[in-house]
Amino acid sequence: WAGLGSAPAGPRSNRQRQAWPMEAVLGQVEQLPALLAVSRSALVRDWDSLTLDRALEWARYFQQIYDRFRARPQLREALGRRLRRSQPCPLLGFPALGRCPQLLGLALLENRALPPAACRRLLRSLLQPPGAEPGCDPRGLELLARRKAAARLLALPRRAPGPEPQLQAEARLLLSRLRQEGQEAGEAAGQLRWLCGAQEGQEAAGQLRWLCGALEPLPQPRAFGVVAAALALLKQGRGAEQAGDGDGSSSPGGYQESAEGDECTAGLLLSWLLGNQERFSAFCLCIPCSHLAFLADHYSQLYRPYLDLLTGWGRHLHYDPLQGQWVKSCLDKAELSWEELRERFICLCQGSTLLKEQTQAALELLRTQDGDFRVPGLSVWTDLLMEVDGSCMDTKATGK
């Protein structure tokens, strides 16, 4: 991108706008991935103030392109295709042009190779962009500041054994980004439906593709932890999540809209989890059983697949009379030991009354199908029911 020189000045009149040579614009848009890649690399250690100003000029120019063509679906699509063609993975689309100053600023703020003088210049530019009036577009700066604070938090060494603060921060970022993708996809799909009758749900498909592209490159434990934390945040109340987002509405209509948006976001996360059986199995092995019980209690779509998974694992246990306990009959198929399986069923029965009743009814049905034995050591479901009932009695006796 450095070979392009200074960014062209944006046109100011309708006649000038109509005179934009489209092929030149398409060629310039191809440089956006390179600009963002350089801003994250060690090459910025050689940047001076003039180089930084030139990069920021290009970011603002790309934003002007977005503003100019956002209402023209055919040109939007052409620009989006050119962007996807210029990068190995189609992670950037046309909406990235509108966020280019924020994307560039965030990448540079997180890059420790940026020299101090250029960093100070960047901060001054972000606090008062050229031509901006005082108080203009405060949300962009607030969002940038929140993301930078989260990046600082994630860079801190762990002081506690649990990864909860890191996962909470990453989950809030994921939810914020999914909502942003949903708004932009909804806007684009609305224009397409008006023009050519595009079907509902295309925006959700686009969000799911973005989610796959964001999560699948991550190590599985980290991706699973972020998704589990995000699902929990969505069920812990809009107010708790607002602490990391701040765009909620107190009006009834705004609350309903945000609730519907949260439901769609949860649906996307669950679609990613449940769309692949091996992925879901790995997720259930990775996440603590108490957290899984919480999610199964609050997401009905998750409970039945989780129960089916536990049932399959339980069928690979057999009773060893010499040891007097249930052991794995096939080491390559039995993922859980007897102790782990028992703990997971007990956690499910310590949830809501409905979850407890559903789990006990499922175990009773499995016991009946297995011969309806009532003595220990003959059916794993009989023994699990005895353990679950005993745990429930202990809980009731202690008043917990």
Side-chain angles (χ1 to χ4, degrees):
W1 72 273
L4 291 175
S6 298
R12 300 185 180 279
S13 67
N14 288 335
R15 181 174 299 177
Q16 287 175 312
R17 287 177 178 175
Q18 292 170 357
W20 270 16
M22 205 47 213
E23 189 56 40
V25 172
L26 290 171
Q28 291 158 353
V29 162
E30 285 185 331
Q31 306 304 316
L32 173 57
L35 171 62
L36 296 178
V38 169
S39 68
R40 300 186 188 100
S41 73
L43 296 175
V44 300
R45 68 164 59 95
D46 299 324
W47 282 18
D48 55 16
S49 296
L50 291 178
T51 307
L52 175 68
D53 288 345
R54 187 149 49 91
L56 294 173
E57 284 176 9
W58 275 106
R60 289 188 288 269
Y61 174 67
F62 289 136
Q63 189 176 41
Q64 289 178 7
I65 293 177
Y66 174 83
D67 294 336
R68 174 68 182 94
F69 297 112
R70 62 183 299 182
R72 304 178 65 178
Q74 290 182 339
L75 295 178
R76 281 176 60 114
E77 180 59 28
L79 289 164
R81 282 198 305 268
R82 187 61 68 94
L83 259 179
R84 291 190 290 272
R85 193 179 75 179
S86 63
Q87 52 189 327
C89 297
L91 299 179
L92 292 176
F94 179 81
L97 293 170
R99 300 192 305 273
C100 192
Q102 288 80 14
L103 293 173
L104 178 65
L106 179 63
L108 291 172
L109 284 174
E110 292 177 339
N111 194 339
R112 297 181 182 273
L114 188 67
C119 187
R120 288 192 294 269
R121 182 87 169 194
L122 172 64
L123 290 172
R124 282 196 297 270
S125 174
L126 293 175
L127 290 171
Q128 191 171 1
E133 299 178 359
C136 179
D137 191 23
R139 274 187 54 79
L141 181 59
E142 290 173 4
L143 179 61
L144 193 64
R146 286 200 303 272
R147 289 180 174 174
K148 177 58 181 173
R152 291 289 189 186
L153 172 63
L154 300 183
L156 292 175
R158 286 187 189 173
R159 298 180 180 177
E164 195 65 23
Q166 175 176 344
L167 291 180
Q168 291 261 338
E170 290 184 334
R172 286 194 172 97
L173 287 176
L174 178 66
L175 292 176
S176 175
R177 191 67 180 84
L178 268 176
R179 291 184 181 118
Q180 192 174 8
E181 285 289 324
Q183 291 171 357
E184 292 168 352
E187 177 186 340
Q191 293 173 348
L192 287 174
R193 282 194 295 271
W194 181 75
L195 289 171
C196 56
Q199 295 182 354
E200 295 279 355
Q202 288 183 340
E203 53 266 39
Q207 285 177 277
L208 186 57
R209 284 194 297 271
W210 179 89
L211 183 64
C212 292
L215 292 176
E216 289 177 4
L218 298 177
Q220 272 198 347
R222 180 182 172 197
F224 293 155
V226 171
V227 170
L231 288 169
L233 281 173
L234 290 171
K235 287 300 180 181
Q236 286 170 355
R238 180 71 179 169
E241 207 281 319
Q242 278 178 352
D245 195 12
D247 61 352
S249 172
S250 59
S251 65
Y255 176 81
Q256 181 179 1
E257 183 179 351
S258 64
E260 291 174 355
D262 285 352
E263 185 176 347
C264 292
T265 302
L268 288 168
L269 295 170
L270 292 172
S271 295
W272 180 78
L273 272 181
L274 300 173
N276 182 291
Q277 181 62 26
E278 291 184 2
R279 178 190 299 147
F280 181 63
S281 176
F283 172 81
C284 292
L285 288 171
C286 180
I287 302 301
C289 59
S290 57
H291 199 159
L292 281 172
F294 173 85
L295 295 178
D297 203 355
H298 289 82
Y299 293 100
S300 58
Q301 311 98 303
L302 203 62
Y303 173 69
R304 176 50 61 178
Y306 181 42
L307 183 63
D308 290 343
L309 201 58
L310 294 179
T311 302
W313 288 336
R315 289 187 174 129
H316 289 290
L317 296 177
H318 79 278
Y319 192 78
D320 186 340
L322 297 178
Q323 299 184 45
Q325 61 183 8
W326 291 91
V327 297
K328 297 179 180 181
S329 59
C330 186
L331 295 179
D332 61 337
K333 292 183 180 180
E335 299 286 356
L336 297 181
S337 67
W338 159 257
E339 292 77 15
E340 292 168 329
L341 189 67
R342 178 185 60 191
E343 183 180 5
R344 288 171 182 267
F345 274 105
I346 288 175
C347 282
L348 287 174
C349 290
Q350 289 175 343
S352 66
T353 301
L354 176 61
L355 187 68
K356 173 185 173 182
E357 291 175 350
Q358 288 178 328
T359 303
Q360 288 179 323
L363 284 173
E364 289 171 358
L365 178 61
L366 288 168
R367 179 180 64 182
T368 301
Q369 293 173 344
D370 207 25
D372 202 17
F373 298 107
R374 302 285 172 154
V375 294
L378 296 179
S379 169
V380 67
W381 315 118
T382 299
D383 290 11
L384 279 171
L385 259 177
M386 295 172 62
E387 292 285 343
V388 165
D389 291 342
S391 175
C392 292
M393 292 294 295
D394 292 341
T395 301
K396 186 175 180 180
T398 57
K400 294 183 180 180

